[in-house]
Short mmCIF file of all heavy atoms in Angstrom, two decimals:
data_model
loop_
_atom_site.label_atom_id
_atom_site.label_comp_id
_atom_site.label_asym_id
_atom_site.label_seq_id
_atom_site.Cartn_x
_atom_site.Cartn_y
_atom_site.Cartn_z
N MET A 203 137.64 -51.18 134.98
CA MET A 203 138.43 -52.24 134.40
C MET A 203 138.65 -52.02 132.91
O MET A 203 138.98 -52.92 132.18
CB MET A 203 137.72 -53.58 134.65
CG MET A 203 138.57 -54.77 134.32
SD MET A 203 137.70 -56.24 134.81
CE MET A 203 138.09 -57.27 133.45
N ALA A 204 138.42 -50.81 132.46
CA ALA A 204 138.64 -50.51 131.05
C ALA A 204 140.12 -50.71 130.74
O ALA A 204 140.99 -50.15 131.40
CB ALA A 204 138.20 -49.10 130.74
N ASN A 205 140.38 -51.52 129.75
CA ASN A 205 141.75 -51.85 129.40
C ASN A 205 142.17 -51.06 128.17
O ASN A 205 141.41 -50.94 127.22
CB ASN A 205 141.87 -53.34 129.08
CG ASN A 205 141.58 -54.19 130.27
OD1 ASN A 205 142.13 -53.97 131.33
ND2 ASN A 205 140.70 -55.15 130.12
N THR A 206 143.39 -50.57 128.21
CA THR A 206 143.91 -49.93 127.03
C THR A 206 144.56 -50.99 126.15
O THR A 206 144.95 -52.06 126.63
CB THR A 206 144.96 -48.87 127.39
OG1 THR A 206 146.05 -49.50 128.06
CG2 THR A 206 144.37 -47.80 128.29
N ALA A 207 144.66 -50.71 124.87
CA ALA A 207 145.25 -51.66 123.95
C ALA A 207 146.71 -51.93 124.33
O ALA A 207 147.20 -53.04 124.21
CB ALA A 207 145.15 -51.14 122.52
N LYS A 208 147.37 -50.91 124.84
CA LYS A 208 148.78 -51.08 125.24
C LYS A 208 148.91 -52.10 126.37
O LYS A 208 149.80 -52.96 126.34
CB LYS A 208 149.35 -49.72 125.67
CG LYS A 208 150.81 -49.77 126.02
CD LYS A 208 151.34 -48.41 126.42
CE LYS A 208 152.81 -48.53 126.72
NZ LYS A 208 153.25 -47.72 127.81
N ASP A 209 148.02 -52.02 127.35
CA ASP A 209 148.05 -52.98 128.46
C ASP A 209 147.77 -54.39 127.96
O ASP A 209 148.37 -55.36 128.43
CB ASP A 209 147.01 -52.61 129.52
CG ASP A 209 147.34 -51.30 130.21
OD1 ASP A 209 148.52 -50.89 130.21
OD2 ASP A 209 146.40 -50.67 130.74
N LEU A 210 146.84 -54.51 127.03
CA LEU A 210 146.46 -55.82 126.52
C LEU A 210 147.56 -56.46 125.69
O LEU A 210 147.73 -57.68 125.70
CB LEU A 210 145.18 -55.72 125.69
CG LEU A 210 143.92 -55.37 126.47
CD1 LEU A 210 142.76 -55.16 125.52
CD2 LEU A 210 143.59 -56.43 127.49
N ARG A 211 148.32 -55.65 124.98
CA ARG A 211 149.40 -56.20 124.15
C ARG A 211 150.50 -56.83 125.00
O ARG A 211 151.25 -57.68 124.51
CB ARG A 211 149.97 -55.12 123.25
CG ARG A 211 149.07 -54.82 122.08
CD ARG A 211 149.74 -53.95 121.02
NE ARG A 211 148.82 -53.76 119.91
CZ ARG A 211 147.96 -52.75 119.81
NH1 ARG A 211 147.91 -51.84 120.76
NH2 ARG A 211 147.16 -52.65 118.78
N ASP A 212 150.61 -56.42 126.25
CA ASP A 212 151.63 -56.98 127.14
C ASP A 212 151.23 -58.34 127.69
O ASP A 212 152.06 -59.04 128.25
CB ASP A 212 151.90 -56.02 128.30
CG ASP A 212 152.52 -54.72 127.84
OD1 ASP A 212 153.16 -54.70 126.76
OD2 ASP A 212 152.38 -53.71 128.55
N LYS A 213 149.98 -58.73 127.53
CA LYS A 213 149.49 -60.00 128.07
C LYS A 213 149.71 -61.13 127.08
O LYS A 213 149.80 -60.92 125.87
CB LYS A 213 148.00 -59.90 128.41
CG LYS A 213 147.71 -58.93 129.53
CD LYS A 213 146.27 -58.97 129.92
CE LYS A 213 146.04 -58.05 131.12
NZ LYS A 213 144.71 -58.18 131.66
N THR A 214 149.77 -62.34 127.62
CA THR A 214 149.91 -63.52 126.78
C THR A 214 148.56 -63.88 126.18
O THR A 214 147.51 -63.48 126.71
CB THR A 214 150.43 -64.72 127.59
OG1 THR A 214 149.43 -65.08 128.55
CG2 THR A 214 151.74 -64.40 128.30
N PRO A 215 148.55 -64.64 125.09
CA PRO A 215 147.27 -65.06 124.50
C PRO A 215 146.38 -65.82 125.49
O PRO A 215 145.15 -65.66 125.47
CB PRO A 215 147.68 -65.95 123.34
CG PRO A 215 149.02 -65.43 122.94
CD PRO A 215 149.67 -65.00 124.23
N ASP A 216 146.96 -66.62 126.37
CA ASP A 216 146.16 -67.34 127.37
C ASP A 216 145.48 -66.38 128.33
O ASP A 216 144.32 -66.55 128.69
CB ASP A 216 147.01 -68.34 128.15
CG ASP A 216 147.39 -69.54 127.31
OD1 ASP A 216 146.64 -69.86 126.35
OD2 ASP A 216 148.43 -70.17 127.60
N GLU A 217 146.21 -65.36 128.77
CA GLU A 217 145.62 -64.36 129.66
C GLU A 217 144.50 -63.60 128.95
O GLU A 217 143.47 -63.31 129.55
CB GLU A 217 146.69 -63.37 130.12
CG GLU A 217 147.71 -63.94 131.07
CD GLU A 217 148.85 -62.98 131.37
OE1 GLU A 217 149.19 -62.14 130.52
OE2 GLU A 217 149.40 -63.08 132.48
N LEU A 218 144.70 -63.32 127.67
CA LEU A 218 143.68 -62.61 126.91
C LEU A 218 142.43 -63.47 126.76
O LEU A 218 141.31 -62.97 126.87
CB LEU A 218 144.21 -62.22 125.54
CG LEU A 218 145.26 -61.11 125.53
CD1 LEU A 218 145.86 -60.94 124.14
CD2 LEU A 218 144.66 -59.79 126.00
N ARG A 219 142.60 -64.77 126.51
CA ARG A 219 141.44 -65.66 126.39
C ARG A 219 140.69 -65.75 127.71
O ARG A 219 139.45 -65.77 127.72
CB ARG A 219 141.89 -67.05 125.93
CG ARG A 219 142.19 -67.10 124.45
CD ARG A 219 142.48 -68.52 123.97
NE ARG A 219 143.39 -68.46 122.85
CZ ARG A 219 144.71 -68.62 122.93
NH1 ARG A 219 145.29 -68.88 124.08
NH2 ARG A 219 145.45 -68.53 121.86
N ASP A 220 141.41 -65.80 128.82
CA ASP A 220 140.76 -65.82 130.14
C ASP A 220 139.95 -64.54 130.36
O ASP A 220 138.83 -64.58 130.86
CB ASP A 220 141.79 -65.98 131.26
CG ASP A 220 142.42 -67.35 131.28
OD1 ASP A 220 141.85 -68.29 130.68
OD2 ASP A 220 143.49 -67.50 131.90
N GLN A 221 140.53 -63.43 129.97
CA GLN A 221 139.84 -62.15 130.14
C GLN A 221 138.62 -62.09 129.23
O GLN A 221 137.57 -61.57 129.63
CB GLN A 221 140.79 -61.00 129.84
CG GLN A 221 140.17 -59.66 130.14
CD GLN A 221 141.18 -58.53 130.10
OE1 GLN A 221 142.35 -58.74 129.81
NE2 GLN A 221 140.73 -57.34 130.40
N LEU A 222 138.73 -62.65 128.05
CA LEU A 222 137.60 -62.67 127.12
C LEU A 222 136.44 -63.47 127.69
O LEU A 222 135.29 -63.06 127.61
CB LEU A 222 138.05 -63.25 125.77
CG LEU A 222 137.03 -63.26 124.65
CD1 LEU A 222 136.61 -61.84 124.31
CD2 LEU A 222 137.60 -63.95 123.43
N VAL A 223 136.75 -64.61 128.30
CA VAL A 223 135.70 -65.43 128.92
C VAL A 223 135.01 -64.65 130.03
O VAL A 223 133.77 -64.65 130.12
CB VAL A 223 136.30 -66.75 129.46
CG1 VAL A 223 135.31 -67.49 130.33
CG2 VAL A 223 136.73 -67.64 128.30
N SER A 224 135.77 -63.98 130.87
CA SER A 224 135.16 -63.24 131.97
C SER A 224 134.32 -62.06 131.46
O SER A 224 133.26 -61.76 132.00
CB SER A 224 136.21 -62.77 132.97
OG SER A 224 137.02 -61.78 132.40
N LEU A 225 134.77 -61.41 130.38
CA LEU A 225 134.00 -60.31 129.80
C LEU A 225 132.69 -60.81 129.21
O LEU A 225 131.64 -60.17 129.35
CB LEU A 225 134.81 -59.59 128.73
CG LEU A 225 135.91 -58.65 129.23
CD1 LEU A 225 136.82 -58.23 128.08
CD2 LEU A 225 135.31 -57.44 129.90
N LYS A 226 132.73 -61.97 128.56
CA LYS A 226 131.51 -62.51 127.98
C LYS A 226 130.52 -62.92 129.06
O LYS A 226 129.31 -62.73 128.91
CB LYS A 226 131.83 -63.68 127.06
CG LYS A 226 132.46 -63.22 125.76
CD LYS A 226 132.58 -64.33 124.76
CE LYS A 226 133.10 -63.78 123.45
NZ LYS A 226 132.91 -64.69 122.35
N LYS A 227 131.03 -63.47 130.17
CA LYS A 227 130.15 -63.81 131.30
C LYS A 227 129.51 -62.55 131.88
O LYS A 227 128.32 -62.53 132.19
CB LYS A 227 130.94 -64.54 132.39
CG LYS A 227 131.24 -65.97 132.07
CD LYS A 227 132.01 -66.64 133.19
CE LYS A 227 132.39 -68.05 132.82
NZ LYS A 227 133.20 -68.71 133.86
N GLU A 228 130.33 -61.50 132.01
CA GLU A 228 129.80 -60.25 132.55
C GLU A 228 128.74 -59.66 131.62
O GLU A 228 127.70 -59.17 132.08
CB GLU A 228 130.93 -59.25 132.76
CG GLU A 228 130.46 -57.97 133.41
CD GLU A 228 131.59 -56.98 133.70
OE1 GLU A 228 132.76 -57.30 133.45
OE2 GLU A 228 131.26 -55.89 134.19
N ALA A 229 128.99 -59.72 130.31
CA ALA A 229 128.01 -59.20 129.35
C ALA A 229 126.71 -59.98 129.45
O ALA A 229 125.61 -59.40 129.39
CB ALA A 229 128.58 -59.28 127.94
N PHE A 230 126.81 -61.29 129.60
CA PHE A 230 125.62 -62.14 129.74
C PHE A 230 124.81 -61.72 130.97
O PHE A 230 123.59 -61.52 130.89
CB PHE A 230 126.06 -63.59 129.85
CG PHE A 230 124.94 -64.57 130.01
CD1 PHE A 230 124.18 -64.96 128.92
CD2 PHE A 230 124.64 -65.09 131.26
CE1 PHE A 230 123.14 -65.87 129.08
CE2 PHE A 230 123.60 -65.99 131.43
CZ PHE A 230 122.86 -66.39 130.33
N ASN A 231 125.49 -61.56 132.10
CA ASN A 231 124.81 -61.16 133.32
C ASN A 231 124.21 -59.76 133.21
O ASN A 231 123.10 -59.51 133.70
CB ASN A 231 125.77 -61.23 134.52
CG ASN A 231 126.13 -62.65 134.87
OD1 ASN A 231 125.35 -63.57 134.67
ND2 ASN A 231 127.33 -62.84 135.40
N LEU A 232 124.92 -58.86 132.57
CA LEU A 232 124.40 -57.50 132.40
C LEU A 232 123.16 -57.47 131.52
O LEU A 232 122.24 -56.69 131.77
CB LEU A 232 125.49 -56.59 131.81
CG LEU A 232 126.59 -56.16 132.79
CD1 LEU A 232 127.71 -55.46 132.03
CD2 LEU A 232 126.03 -55.25 133.86
N ARG A 233 123.13 -58.32 130.49
CA ARG A 233 121.94 -58.37 129.63
C ARG A 233 120.71 -58.76 130.43
O ARG A 233 119.63 -58.21 130.26
CB ARG A 233 122.14 -59.36 128.48
CG ARG A 233 122.92 -58.78 127.33
CD ARG A 233 122.78 -59.62 126.08
NE ARG A 233 123.17 -61.01 126.25
CZ ARG A 233 124.41 -61.48 126.09
NH1 ARG A 233 125.37 -60.66 125.76
NH2 ARG A 233 124.66 -62.75 126.25
N PHE A 234 120.87 -59.73 131.34
CA PHE A 234 119.75 -60.14 132.17
C PHE A 234 119.35 -59.03 133.14
O PHE A 234 118.17 -58.81 133.38
CB PHE A 234 120.07 -61.42 132.95
CG PHE A 234 119.76 -62.65 132.17
CD1 PHE A 234 120.75 -63.32 131.48
CD2 PHE A 234 118.46 -63.14 132.12
CE1 PHE A 234 120.46 -64.45 130.75
CE2 PHE A 234 118.16 -64.27 131.39
CZ PHE A 234 119.15 -64.94 130.70
N GLN A 235 120.32 -58.34 133.70
CA GLN A 235 120.02 -57.24 134.62
C GLN A 235 119.27 -56.12 133.91
O GLN A 235 118.32 -55.56 134.45
CB GLN A 235 121.31 -56.69 135.23
CG GLN A 235 121.93 -57.62 136.25
CD GLN A 235 123.25 -57.07 136.78
OE1 GLN A 235 123.57 -55.90 136.56
NE2 GLN A 235 124.00 -57.90 137.49
N VAL A 236 119.68 -55.80 132.68
CA VAL A 236 119.01 -54.75 131.94
C VAL A 236 117.59 -55.19 131.60
O VAL A 236 116.63 -54.42 131.71
CB VAL A 236 119.80 -54.39 130.66
CG1 VAL A 236 118.98 -53.52 129.72
CG2 VAL A 236 121.10 -53.69 131.03
N ALA A 237 117.41 -56.46 131.22
CA ALA A 237 116.09 -56.96 130.84
C ALA A 237 115.12 -56.97 132.01
O ALA A 237 113.93 -56.73 131.85
CB ALA A 237 116.22 -58.35 130.25
N THR A 238 115.63 -57.24 133.20
CA THR A 238 114.76 -57.30 134.37
C THR A 238 114.66 -55.96 135.09
O THR A 238 113.92 -55.83 136.06
CB THR A 238 115.25 -58.36 135.37
OG1 THR A 238 116.58 -58.02 135.79
CG2 THR A 238 115.23 -59.74 134.77
N GLY A 239 115.41 -54.98 134.64
CA GLY A 239 115.37 -53.67 135.26
C GLY A 239 116.21 -53.57 136.52
O GLY A 239 116.09 -52.62 137.28
N ALA A 240 117.07 -54.54 136.74
CA ALA A 240 117.89 -54.56 137.94
C ALA A 240 119.26 -53.90 137.74
O ALA A 240 120.02 -53.77 138.69
CB ALA A 240 118.09 -55.99 138.42
N ALA A 241 119.56 -53.48 136.54
CA ALA A 241 120.88 -52.91 136.24
C ALA A 241 121.01 -51.54 136.89
O ALA A 241 120.16 -50.67 136.73
CB ALA A 241 121.09 -52.81 134.75
N GLU A 242 122.10 -51.36 137.63
CA GLU A 242 122.37 -50.08 138.25
C GLU A 242 123.18 -49.19 137.32
O GLU A 242 123.00 -47.98 137.31
CB GLU A 242 123.13 -50.28 139.56
CG GLU A 242 122.33 -51.00 140.61
CD GLU A 242 123.13 -51.25 141.87
OE1 GLU A 242 124.24 -50.69 142.00
OE2 GLU A 242 122.65 -52.00 142.73
N ASN A 243 124.06 -49.80 136.55
CA ASN A 243 124.95 -49.03 135.68
C ASN A 243 124.80 -49.56 134.25
O ASN A 243 125.51 -50.46 133.84
CB ASN A 243 126.39 -49.17 136.17
CG ASN A 243 127.36 -48.31 135.39
OD1 ASN A 243 126.95 -47.56 134.52
ND2 ASN A 243 128.63 -48.43 135.69
N THR A 244 123.87 -48.99 133.52
CA THR A 244 123.62 -49.47 132.16
C THR A 244 124.76 -49.12 131.21
O THR A 244 124.93 -49.78 130.18
CB THR A 244 122.31 -48.90 131.61
OG1 THR A 244 122.36 -47.48 131.69
CG2 THR A 244 121.13 -49.42 132.40
N ALA A 245 125.56 -48.13 131.52
CA ALA A 245 126.69 -47.75 130.67
C ALA A 245 127.78 -48.82 130.69
O ALA A 245 128.62 -48.86 129.80
CB ALA A 245 127.26 -46.42 131.12
N ARG A 246 127.74 -49.69 131.68
CA ARG A 246 128.75 -50.76 131.77
C ARG A 246 128.65 -51.70 130.58
O ARG A 246 129.64 -52.28 130.15
CB ARG A 246 128.55 -51.52 133.10
CG ARG A 246 129.53 -52.61 133.33
CD ARG A 246 130.92 -52.09 133.68
NE ARG A 246 131.83 -53.20 133.82
CZ ARG A 246 133.05 -53.24 133.31
NH1 ARG A 246 133.53 -52.20 132.69
NH2 ARG A 246 133.80 -54.30 133.46
N MET A 247 127.44 -51.87 130.02
CA MET A 247 127.27 -52.72 128.84
C MET A 247 128.17 -52.24 127.70
O MET A 247 128.82 -53.03 127.03
CB MET A 247 125.82 -52.70 128.36
CG MET A 247 124.90 -53.64 129.07
SD MET A 247 125.31 -55.37 128.82
CE MET A 247 125.06 -55.55 127.08
N ARG A 248 128.21 -50.95 127.51
CA ARG A 248 129.01 -50.38 126.43
C ARG A 248 130.50 -50.65 126.66
O ARG A 248 131.21 -51.05 125.73
CB ARG A 248 128.75 -48.88 126.35
CG ARG A 248 129.53 -48.18 125.28
CD ARG A 248 129.21 -46.72 125.25
NE ARG A 248 129.97 -46.05 124.21
CZ ARG A 248 129.81 -44.80 123.88
NH1 ARG A 248 128.91 -44.05 124.47
NH2 ARG A 248 130.55 -44.27 122.94
N THR A 249 130.97 -50.45 127.87
CA THR A 249 132.39 -50.66 128.13
C THR A 249 132.77 -52.13 128.03
O THR A 249 133.84 -52.46 127.54
CB THR A 249 132.80 -50.11 129.52
OG1 THR A 249 132.01 -50.73 130.51
CG2 THR A 249 132.62 -48.62 129.59
N VAL A 250 131.86 -53.01 128.45
CA VAL A 250 132.14 -54.45 128.35
C VAL A 250 132.23 -54.86 126.88
O VAL A 250 133.11 -55.61 126.48
CB VAL A 250 131.09 -55.27 129.11
CG1 VAL A 250 131.19 -56.75 128.78
CG2 VAL A 250 131.23 -55.06 130.60
N ARG A 251 131.29 -54.35 126.07
CA ARG A 251 131.31 -54.67 124.64
C ARG A 251 132.59 -54.18 123.98
O ARG A 251 133.21 -54.88 123.17
CB ARG A 251 130.11 -54.03 123.93
CG ARG A 251 128.94 -54.93 123.79
CD ARG A 251 127.94 -54.44 122.76
NE ARG A 251 127.81 -53.01 122.62
CZ ARG A 251 126.91 -52.26 123.26
NH1 ARG A 251 126.07 -52.81 124.10
NH2 ARG A 251 126.87 -50.97 123.06
N ARG A 252 132.99 -52.98 124.33
CA ARG A 252 134.20 -52.41 123.73
C ARG A 252 135.46 -53.12 124.22
O ARG A 252 136.40 -53.33 123.44
CB ARG A 252 134.28 -50.92 124.01
CG ARG A 252 133.26 -50.17 123.19
CD ARG A 252 133.33 -48.70 123.39
NE ARG A 252 132.34 -48.07 122.52
CZ ARG A 252 132.42 -46.82 122.13
NH1 ARG A 252 133.41 -46.06 122.51
NH2 ARG A 252 131.49 -46.33 121.34
N ASP A 253 135.50 -53.49 125.49
CA ASP A 253 136.65 -54.25 126.01
C ASP A 253 136.73 -55.60 125.32
O ASP A 253 137.83 -56.08 125.00
CB ASP A 253 136.54 -54.42 127.52
CG ASP A 253 136.88 -53.16 128.28
OD1 ASP A 253 137.44 -52.22 127.68
OD2 ASP A 253 136.59 -53.11 129.50
N THR A 254 135.58 -56.23 125.09
CA THR A 254 135.55 -57.52 124.40
C THR A 254 136.12 -57.37 123.00
O THR A 254 136.96 -58.17 122.57
CB THR A 254 134.11 -58.07 124.33
OG1 THR A 254 133.61 -58.22 125.66
CG2 THR A 254 134.07 -59.42 123.63
N ALA A 255 135.69 -56.35 122.29
CA ALA A 255 136.19 -56.11 120.93
C ALA A 255 137.69 -55.83 120.95
O ALA A 255 138.44 -56.31 120.08
CB ALA A 255 135.44 -54.95 120.30
N ARG A 256 138.13 -55.09 121.95
CA ARG A 256 139.55 -54.76 122.06
C ARG A 256 140.38 -56.02 122.28
O ARG A 256 141.42 -56.21 121.64
CB ARG A 256 139.74 -53.77 123.22
CG ARG A 256 140.99 -52.96 123.14
CD ARG A 256 141.00 -51.86 124.20
NE ARG A 256 140.15 -50.74 123.81
CZ ARG A 256 139.13 -50.28 124.53
NH1 ARG A 256 138.84 -50.81 125.70
NH2 ARG A 256 138.42 -49.26 124.11
N VAL A 257 139.92 -56.91 123.15
CA VAL A 257 140.64 -58.16 123.42
C VAL A 257 140.68 -59.02 122.16
O VAL A 257 141.72 -59.59 121.82
CB VAL A 257 139.99 -58.92 124.60
CG1 VAL A 257 140.55 -60.33 124.71
CG2 VAL A 257 140.21 -58.16 125.91
N LEU A 258 139.55 -59.13 121.46
CA LEU A 258 139.51 -59.93 120.23
C LEU A 258 140.46 -59.37 119.18
O LEU A 258 141.14 -60.13 118.47
CB LEU A 258 138.09 -59.97 119.69
CG LEU A 258 137.12 -60.89 120.43
CD1 LEU A 258 135.70 -60.67 119.94
CD2 LEU A 258 137.53 -62.33 120.27
N THR A 259 140.53 -58.05 119.08
CA THR A 259 141.43 -57.42 118.11
C THR A 259 142.88 -57.76 118.42
O THR A 259 143.64 -58.13 117.52
CB THR A 259 141.23 -55.89 118.11
OG1 THR A 259 139.87 -55.62 117.76
CG2 THR A 259 142.17 -55.21 117.13
N ILE A 260 143.26 -57.65 119.68
CA ILE A 260 144.64 -57.95 120.06
C ILE A 260 144.96 -59.43 119.83
O ILE A 260 146.04 -59.77 119.34
CB ILE A 260 144.90 -57.55 121.54
CG1 ILE A 260 144.62 -56.07 121.76
CG2 ILE A 260 146.33 -57.89 121.95
CD1 ILE A 260 145.45 -55.12 120.95
N LEU A 261 144.01 -60.31 120.16
CA LEU A 261 144.21 -61.74 119.92
C LEU A 261 144.43 -62.01 118.43
O LEU A 261 145.31 -62.79 118.05
CB LEU A 261 143.03 -62.56 120.43
CG LEU A 261 143.07 -62.97 121.89
CD1 LEU A 261 141.73 -63.57 122.31
CD2 LEU A 261 144.19 -63.94 122.15
N ASN A 262 143.63 -61.38 117.58
CA ASN A 262 143.78 -61.56 116.14
C ASN A 262 145.10 -61.00 115.64
O ASN A 262 145.73 -61.59 114.76
CB ASN A 262 142.61 -60.91 115.39
CG ASN A 262 141.35 -61.71 115.54
OD1 ASN A 262 141.38 -62.93 115.72
ND2 ASN A 262 140.21 -61.04 115.46
N GLU A 263 145.53 -59.88 116.20
CA GLU A 263 146.83 -59.31 115.82
C GLU A 263 147.96 -60.26 116.19
O GLU A 263 148.88 -60.48 115.40
CB GLU A 263 147.05 -57.97 116.51
CG GLU A 263 146.26 -56.84 115.94
CD GLU A 263 146.46 -55.55 116.71
OE1 GLU A 263 147.20 -55.53 117.72
OE2 GLU A 263 145.84 -54.53 116.32
N LYS A 264 147.87 -60.83 117.39
CA LYS A 264 148.91 -61.77 117.83
C LYS A 264 148.92 -63.02 116.96
O LYS A 264 149.97 -63.54 116.62
CB LYS A 264 148.72 -62.13 119.30
CG LYS A 264 149.10 -61.00 120.25
CD LYS A 264 148.93 -61.43 121.69
CE LYS A 264 149.28 -60.32 122.64
NZ LYS A 264 150.69 -60.27 122.99
N ALA A 265 147.73 -63.51 116.59
CA ALA A 265 147.65 -64.70 115.75
C ALA A 265 148.22 -64.42 114.35
O ALA A 265 148.93 -65.25 113.78
CB ALA A 265 146.20 -65.17 115.64
N ALA A 266 147.92 -63.26 113.80
CA ALA A 266 148.43 -62.89 112.49
C ALA A 266 149.95 -62.72 112.54
O ALA A 266 150.66 -63.11 111.61
CB ALA A 266 147.77 -61.61 112.01
N GLY A 267 150.44 -62.14 113.64
CA GLY A 267 151.88 -61.98 113.79
C GLY A 267 152.60 -63.30 113.91
O GLY A 267 153.68 -63.49 113.34
N ALA A 268 152.00 -64.24 114.61
CA ALA A 268 152.60 -65.56 114.76
C ALA A 268 152.59 -66.31 113.43
O ALA A 268 153.51 -67.07 113.12
CB ALA A 268 151.86 -66.36 115.82
N ALA A 269 151.56 -66.11 112.61
CA ALA A 269 151.46 -66.79 111.33
C ALA A 269 152.51 -66.29 110.34
O ALA A 269 153.05 -67.06 109.54
CB ALA A 269 150.06 -66.61 110.75
N THR A 270 152.81 -64.99 110.40
CA THR A 270 153.78 -64.44 109.46
C THR A 270 155.21 -64.77 109.88
O THR A 270 156.09 -64.84 109.03
CB THR A 270 153.63 -62.91 109.33
OG1 THR A 270 153.76 -62.31 110.61
CG2 THR A 270 152.28 -62.55 108.73
N GLU A 271 155.42 -65.00 111.18
CA GLU A 271 156.77 -65.33 111.66
C GLU A 271 157.14 -66.77 111.33
O GLU A 271 158.30 -67.07 111.15
CB GLU A 271 156.86 -65.12 113.19
CG GLU A 271 156.82 -63.66 113.58
CD GLU A 271 156.80 -63.49 115.09
OE1 GLU A 271 156.89 -64.49 115.81
OE2 GLU A 271 156.68 -62.35 115.54
N ALA A 272 156.17 -67.63 111.28
CA ALA A 272 156.46 -69.06 111.07
C ALA A 272 156.75 -69.40 109.63
O ALA A 272 156.76 -68.74 108.73
CB ALA A 272 155.24 -69.89 111.52
#
């Protein structure tokens, strides 16, 4: 589910916020799995963190773009 910045730019801010919520929930669950030793794919933590940062960056870009247009 690794998203490219290009794919994310095509989404609406509402879709991006929904995706951000799901990524944060997944990160929360992965932290517990890693802590209890139940995690099968520990590398997923890295991709979730990076996807979260990518979504936040695109959201901030869209917000800045909307502010300059108004």
Side-chain angles (χ1 to χ4, degrees):
M203 191 174 140
N205 296 309
T206 62
K208 183 179 182 217
D209 294 337
L210 292 174
R211 283 192 178 91
D212 294 336
K213 294 186 176 188
T214 66
D216 287 334
E217 290 173 331
L218 289 171
R219 283 187 209 97
D220 290 342
Q221 186 169 3
L222 184 61
V223 169
S224 69
L225 284 168
K226 286 189 175 195
K227 284 180 184 177
E228 184 177 358
F230 180 79
N231 291 330
L232 285 171
R233 278 196 304 271
F234 273 97
Q235 288 177 11
V236 168
T238 60
E242 295 177 10
N243 185 4
T244 55
R246 182 73 183 136
M247 277 296 296
R248 180 179 180 173
T249 57
V250 168
R251 265 197 327 267
R252 288 182 178 202
D253 284 347
T254 301
R256 202 171 283 123
V257 169
L258 285 171
T259 300
I260 302 299
L261 274 171
N262 286 332
E263 285 177 359
K264 287 182 181 272
T270 57
E271 290 176 4

